[in-house]
């Protein structure tokens, strides 16, 4: 049975209720086209209802966590929606995470259910060890235990009553300590941000979003999907970014969202032409800095000015260049409606526009804190609700924000964040290594490339570059693995004994030629 508006209106605080209220009145209207298969809004409604039933019949109750490490599929999106619907907390895990990383997340979040790929023995063992009540599988085509159990469930499930501050999702984000922290996002946070983006970017039911982003990160899961779901629109669904398939699909899309690496890869293909992009009304970029050269090259090639926006896991989107008006290359635009920004100095004093300092943001989009880390939350959020982003910025005329650096040691490679400390800890444990420093160096494809500078024991020629890389690859997600390893007799330090990463970056200049 298709959803009814009465059911929806009874619980407006549940983001899923709001999504249902925006669904096309015709239940067979397409929501998602994945290869040769099209899923209607009704299919989404029924699948998410069935999944919600399987989870709650399995004993899960409001506030329980559902940790999910599966390949991107329409069903994985329906599973996220099922969690919203049932008041459960969705916890996506990067598919690249290895045993230790999964173990930390599952141990920390204590999910009542874990959904993983059928072949993911390690994840399954970890789930059982940490006491998950339900361990279910979902393969890349959406099949597995969950799908099987769902066929026997009724395709109805009224969205559970939640309060706006109930947590809807926890997304883990790495910290300078090297241990990921769980950012708690409430229904209010997700709804406020989704609505701000839908309105600011002019989404309507006529839009067709080409979705090529991963689903375990805020960009692909929230930014892209919420714009579509809150506008009653639809999407063309790719399992992953694939330059050829994106170019072939652009002709049927009205909006495309990507990280800068997607844009440089698209530009490397001569088939990216003005004609192919003619039907697209909006190209959005974020998660890492879009170089002004990329912005210009894309405009020359396609006639489109990429709209760059800025956000983070803890806050959703904060600023965006405008849909109408000047899209200023090298800036991330003014704050979105409902979001305030300010720049402060080291003492926390607010600086005048034009001065460089720490960017702070406030609004309903700002998260509810780090899971089970109140002290950490108190360090990053001021008493009056300003989140200290860790990004250095300047506010220019017209309120446009320009990011000028990062106070933290973060590397962003192909849109993924890597905290050097985590990789350094793994390398430092290798026999024969005295210490290491991990830095990001400019890379023509990834934006920045993870690079390890290693001080080995004197007179040793082991470990060598391949063995350091293999050691890290066995323990951390692929995107965290150094692309190159450089050996030095010792690491440069300043008077305070702090490793001089700026000098290392200068010494390693040109390691990744264009
Ligand atoms: P994440 O939590 O993975 O979304 O990463 C958030 C970080 O990505 C921010 O704190 C910024 O440092 C960076 N970031 C996001 N969008 C942009 C952008 N448009 N330009 C530069 N950096 C960005």
């Amino acid at each position: 049975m298709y959803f009814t508006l009465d059911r929806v209106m009874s619980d407006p605080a549940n983001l899923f209720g709001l999504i249902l209220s925006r669904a096309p009145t015709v239940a067979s209207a397409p929501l998602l086209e994945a290869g040769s298969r099209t899923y209607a809004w009704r299919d989404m409604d029924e699948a998410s209802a069935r999944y919600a039933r399987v989870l709650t019949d399995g004993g899960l109750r409001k506030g329980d966590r559902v940790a999910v490490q599966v390949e991107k599929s329409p069903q994985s999106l329906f599973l996220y929606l099922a969690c919203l619907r049932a008041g459960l907390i969705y916890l996506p895990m990067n598919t690249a995470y290895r045993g230790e990383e999964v173990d930390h997340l599952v141990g920390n979040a204590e999910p009542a259910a874990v959904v993983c790929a059928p072949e993911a023995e390690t994840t399954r063992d970890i789930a059982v060890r940490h006491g998950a009540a339900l361990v279910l599988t979902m393969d890349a085509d959406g099949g597995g235990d969950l799908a099987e159990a769902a066929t026997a469930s009724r395709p109805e499930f009224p969205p559970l009553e939640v309060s706006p501050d109930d947590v809807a999702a926890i997304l883990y984000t790495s910290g300078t300590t090297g241990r990921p922290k769980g950012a708690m996002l409430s229904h209010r946070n997700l709804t406020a941000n989704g609505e701000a983006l839908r309105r600011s970017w002019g989404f309507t039911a006529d839009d067709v979003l080409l979705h090529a982003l991963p689903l375990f990160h805020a960009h692909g899961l929230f930014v892209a999907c919420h714009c579509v779901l809150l506008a009653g629109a639809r999407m063309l669904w790719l399992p992953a970014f694939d330059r050829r398939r994106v170019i072939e699909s652009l002709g049927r899309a009205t909006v495309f969202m990507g990280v800068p690496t997607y844009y440089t890869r698209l530009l490397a293909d001569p088939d990216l032409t003005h004609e192919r992009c003619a039907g697209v009304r909006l190209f959005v970029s974020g998660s890492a800095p879009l170089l002004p050269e990329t912005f210009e090259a894309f405009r020359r090639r396609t006639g489109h000015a990429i709209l760059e926006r800025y956000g983070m896991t803890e806050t959703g989107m904060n600023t965006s260049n405008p849909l109408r008006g000047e899209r200023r290359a090298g800036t991330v635009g003014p704050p979105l409606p409902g979001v305030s920004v300010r720049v402060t100095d080291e003492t926390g004093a607010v600086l005048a526009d034009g001065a460089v300092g720490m960017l702070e943001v406030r609004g309903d989009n700002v998260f509810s804190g780090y899971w089970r880390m109140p002290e950490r939350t108190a360090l990053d959020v001021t008493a009056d609700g300003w989140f200290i982003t860790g990004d250095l910025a300047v506010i220019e005329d017209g309120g446009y924000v320009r990011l000028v650096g990062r106070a933290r040691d973060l590397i962003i490679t192909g849109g993924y964040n890597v905290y050097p400390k985590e990789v350094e800890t793994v390398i430092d444990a290798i026999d024969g290594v005295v210490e290491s420093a991990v830095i990001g160096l400019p890379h023509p494809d990834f934006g920045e490339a993870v690079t390890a500078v290693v001080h080995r024991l004197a007179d040793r020629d082991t470990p060598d570059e391949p063995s350091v890389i293999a050691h890290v690859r066995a323990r951390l997600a692929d995107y965290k693995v150094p692309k190159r390893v450089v050996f030095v007799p010792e690491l440069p330090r300043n008077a305070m004994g702090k490793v001089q990463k700026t000098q290392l970056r200068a010494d390693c200049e040109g390691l990744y030629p264009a």
Side-chain angles (χ1 to χ4, degrees), residues 217 286-289 308-314 332 391 403 406 408 410 412 417:
H217 186 270
S287 294
E308 185 172 9
R309 93 303 179 275
Y310 155 72
M312 54 202 308
T313 306
E314 288 92 336
V332 292
D391 290 310
L403 299 175
R406 291 188 292 261
R408 295 166 310 181
L410 178 70
I412 305 186
N417 292 1

Side-chain angles (χ1 to χ4, degrees), residues 3 98 117 129 140 186 218 320 327 334 394 408 451:
F3 36 79
R98 298 271 186 274
R129 186 151 37 81
S186 66
S320 170
R327 295 187 193 158
V394 55
R408 295 166 310 181
T451 308

Side-chain angles (χ1 to χ4, degrees), residues 191-211:
T191 303
N193 211 227
E195 287 288 77
L197 294 177
R198 178 185 65 80
R199 276 195 229 111
S200 302
W201 295 345
F203 266 81
T204 72
D206 294 331
D207 272 310
V208 183
L209 174 100
L210 177 53
H211 195 301

Side-chain angles (χ1 to χ4, degrees), residues 215-239:
L215 219 58
F216 48 70
H217 186 270
H219 195 168
L221 181 62
F222 301 145
V223 180
C225 293
H226 290 171
C227 282
V228 169
L229 291 164
L230 290 168
R234 68 190 165 101
M235 38 192 156
L236 306 176
W237 188 262
L238 298 183

